[in-house]
Amino acid sequence: MAAQGVKLLGAWASPYSRRVEIALKLKGIDYEFVAQTLSPKSPDVLKYNPVHKKVPILLHNGKPVVESLVVVEYIDETWSSGPSILPADPLGKANARFWAKFIDDKLMPAIINIRRCQGEEQVKAIDVVVELLKVLENELKGKKFFGGDTIGLVDIAANFIALWLPVHQEIMGLQIVTKEKLPVFCAWIDEYLNSSIIKQSLPSKDELSTALLAYHRS
Amino acid sequence: MAAQGVKLLGAWASPYSRRVEIALKLKGIDYEFVAQTLSPKSPDVLKYNPVHKKVPILLHNGKPVVESLVVVEYIDETWSSGPSILPADPLGKANARFWAKFIDDKLMPAIINIRRCQGEEQVKAIDVVVELLKVLENELKGKKFFGGDTIGLVDIAANFIALWLPVHQEIMGLQIVTKEKLPVFCAWIDEYLNSSIIKQSLPSKDELSTALLAYHRS
């Protein structure tokens, strides 16, 4: 589909920006990616997201949409091309929104906490994350993706766990997501990272590893 | 509209439960309210919301929907009776979701922080809340409600600020929401609390004051 005034202000290594890219690619929407730095903030970031001053920002015909999950729903509701990202029925929608919120409100802070802790505290922080991942894993039982046969909102929200978390754990020498602890989740990661849209939307493991090494050394 | 197997597991003094009640009343849906206590948790709360173990839980034909804003969207999408809670257009929807999320992610934690602080720290905590409220107030300019002429998602999400916050500040002898600092917001509170649906859905200021006095003494 030809570009229709769609611009994404994003950051290469941000899993939140990548959520929006996955959604746009799923729908087959051409867009212009405008790379942003964390600091200094560009005048466009301050103009279009004055409340949070962060990316991703989707500009559609000049109008900004922000907050990654809000943007993904906006994309799903705006373009009928490509597969639906949310189910059509209200109960399926509510379920998807619940798990996407679980990832952002519970799982992401718990994952961030791992890097803040050391020693025995870090072991406990990892246990918390594994338990939360088991709760999420339970949603995958008997399904290829959280969205069923196709990638949905929860799969998009979980992109950090599929790619960023394994790379972080490798760099830090930690065991968080392993086949022994989370077999169903690991099968999902394989399936997810090998699907064609995700391959086009996310950096490779090696590229991300190189970028995150610099982050861990900082 | 006759009850259609709609049950709300909620708590009388919870602004989150009340959000769901407002949505159900806006849509004219009869429901059975099943009062829950904070402790101990009832078997139904543990069964229907095993992840968070909290109310509100909407049971519709035996199926649970949880997380108050997710439930409000579910109600809007399930019943076409009554006014729409979210706008029809994707940009309007995204805007409403953005501000509802702002209330839950930024404003509510900042408000809770006021009670955790004392002295100079509390003065600073109040300033933070007032600044956030000014950001939100900006969204009201030229409008009766956040939803325009009718009550929408953001108005429902903001019910805590309309009723609970003024009662808390009175009990604690603090000045947070005042006509001097937030004139537009205060006009919205008057309009909101005097609208017929809200009057049916929220406790009176006196009832809530009596209930919250016990909370502040605990």
Side-chain angles (χ1 to χ4, degrees):
Chain A
M1 190 173 288
Q4 303 164 46
V6 182
K7 210 183 261 196
L8 172 61
L9 312 189
W12 184 90
S14 159
Y16 300 100
S17 283
R18 296 287 181 165
R19 286 176 175 177
V20 177
E21 293 200 67
I22 296 170
L24 289 168
K25 289 208 159 75
L26 273 172
K27 293 288 182 179
I29 307 302
D30 282 345
Y31 61 95
E32 181 192 345
F33 182 80
V34 188
Q36 303 293 315
T37 51
L38 207 62
S39 176
K41 312 274 185 193
S42 78
D44 274 353
V45 168
L46 302 177
K47 176 181 174 186
Y48 292 118
N49 190 1
V51 175
H52 302 300
K53 303 176 182 66
K54 63 181 186 181
V55 295
I57 300 167
L58 184 80
L59 286 175
H60 184 203
N61 296 328
K63 298 256 170 69
V65 187
V66 297
E67 293 282 5
S68 64
L69 294 179
V70 172
V71 180
V72 171
E73 286 217 45
Y74 173 83
I75 291 167
D76 197 35
E77 287 161 357
T78 299
W79 289 285
S80 57
S81 55
S84 290
I85 295 170
L86 276 94
D89 65 299
L91 193 62
K93 276 195 173 73
N95 201 37
R97 287 173 185 144
F98 172 85
W99 288 111
K101 189 171 162 55
F102 173 83
I103 289 169
D104 276 5
D105 293 358
K106 297 285 170 189
L107 202 47
M108 294 298 283
I111 290 171
I112 289 164
N113 192 41
I114 292 175
R115 203 171 169 235
R116 290 200 185 122
C117 300
Q118 295 211 315
E120 199 53 44
E121 286 293 305
Q122 195 174 62
V123 174
K124 278 186 205 160
I126 291 171
D127 286 347
V128 168
V129 168
V130 172
E131 285 312 306
L132 291 170
L133 284 170
K134 280 183 181 166
V135 171
L136 190 59
E137 189 183 59
N138 201 40
E139 269 308 291
L140 272 171
K141 273 184 190 157
K143 292 192 290 190
K144 188 173 166 185
F145 297 114
F146 289 100
D149 290 332
T150 55
I151 286 165
L153 182 72
V154 186
D155 299 280
I156 294 173
N159 69 352
F160 183 90
I161 313 162
L163 183 59
W164 280 257
L165 183 58
V167 170
H168 278 294
Q169 76 177 9
E170 217 170 279
I171 294 172
M172 294 172 80
L174 302 175
Q175 299 278 307
I176 308 165
V177 181
T178 66
K179 277 192 178 135
E180 293 67 37
K181 292 188 217 169
L182 298 153
V184 181
F185 219 102
C186 287
W188 169 81
I189 290 177
D190 282 345
E191 195 78 64
Y192 185 69
L193 294 182
N194 284 310
S195 69
S196 66
I197 289 292
I198 299 301
K199 270 189 184 165
Q200 294 167 43
S201 309
L202 296 186
S204 75
K205 209 173 166 182
D206 287 346
E207 286 173 309
L208 191 65
S209 190
T210 306
L212 292 185
L213 256 173
Y215 169 76
H216 276 271
R217 281 176 186 148
S218 67
Chain B
M1 190 173 287
Q4 305 162 46
V6 182
K7 211 184 259 195
L8 172 61
L9 312 189
W12 184 89
S14 160
Y16 300 100
S17 284
R18 297 287 181 165
R19 286 176 174 177
V20 178
E21 293 200 68
I22 296 170
L24 288 167
K25 288 206 160 75
L26 273 172
K27 294 287 181 177
I29 308 301
D30 281 346
Y31 61 95
E32 181 191 345
F33 182 79
V34 188
Q36 304 293 314
T37 52
L38 207 62
S39 175
K41 310 275 185 192
S42 78
D44 273 354
V45 168
L46 302 177
K47 177 181 172 187
Y48 291 119
N49 191 0
V51 174
H52 301 300
K53 301 178 182 66
K54 64 181 186 180
V55 296
I57 300 169
L58 184 79
L59 286 175
H60 184 203
N61 296 327
K63 298 255 171 70
V65 187
V66 297
E67 293 281 5
S68 65
L69 294 178
V70 173
V71 180
V72 170
E73 285 218 43
Y74 173 83
I75 291 167
D76 197 35
E77 286 161 357
T78 300
W79 289 284
S80 56
S81 55
S84 290
I85 295 171
L86 276 94
D89 65 299
L91 192 63
K93 276 196 173 75
N95 201 37
R97 287 174 185 142
F98 172 85
W99 288 110
K101 190 171 160 54
F102 172 83
I103 289 169
D104 275 7
D105 293 359
K106 297 285 169 192
L107 201 47
M108 294 299 281
I111 290 170
I112 289 164
N113 192 42
I114 292 174
R115 205 174 168 233
R116 291 201 184 120
C117 300
Q118 294 210 315
E120 200 52 46
E121 285 294 304
Q122 195 174 59
V123 174
K124 278 185 205 159
I126 290 170
D127 286 347
V128 169
V129 169
V130 171
E131 284 313 304
L132 290 170
L133 284 170
K134 280 183 181 166
V135 172
L136 190 59
E137 189 183 61
N138 201 39
E139 270 307 291
L140 272 170
K141 273 185 191 156
K143 291 192 289 189
K144 188 173 167 186
F145 297 115
F146 289 100
D149 289 332
T150 55
I151 286 166
L153 183 71
V154 185
D155 300 279
I156 294 174
N159 68 351
F160 184 90
I161 313 162
L163 183 59
W164 280 257
L165 183 57
V167 171
H168 278 294
Q169 78 176 10
E170 215 169 281
I171 294 172
M172 294 172 79
L174 302 174
Q175 298 279 308
I176 308 164
V177 181
T178 65
K179 278 192 179 138
E180 292 68 37
K181 291 187 216 169
L182 298 153
V184 181
F185 219 101
C186 287
W188 169 81
I189 291 177
D190 282 346
E191 195 79 63
Y192 185 68
L193 294 182
N194 283 311
S195 70
S196 65
I197 289 292
I198 299 301
K199 270 190 183 162
Q200 293 166 44
S201 310
L202 295 186
S204 75
K205 209 173 167 182
D206 286 346
E207 285 173 309
L208 191 65
S209 189
T210 307
L212 292 186
L213 256 174
Y215 168 76
H216 277 272
R217 281 177 186 147
S218 68

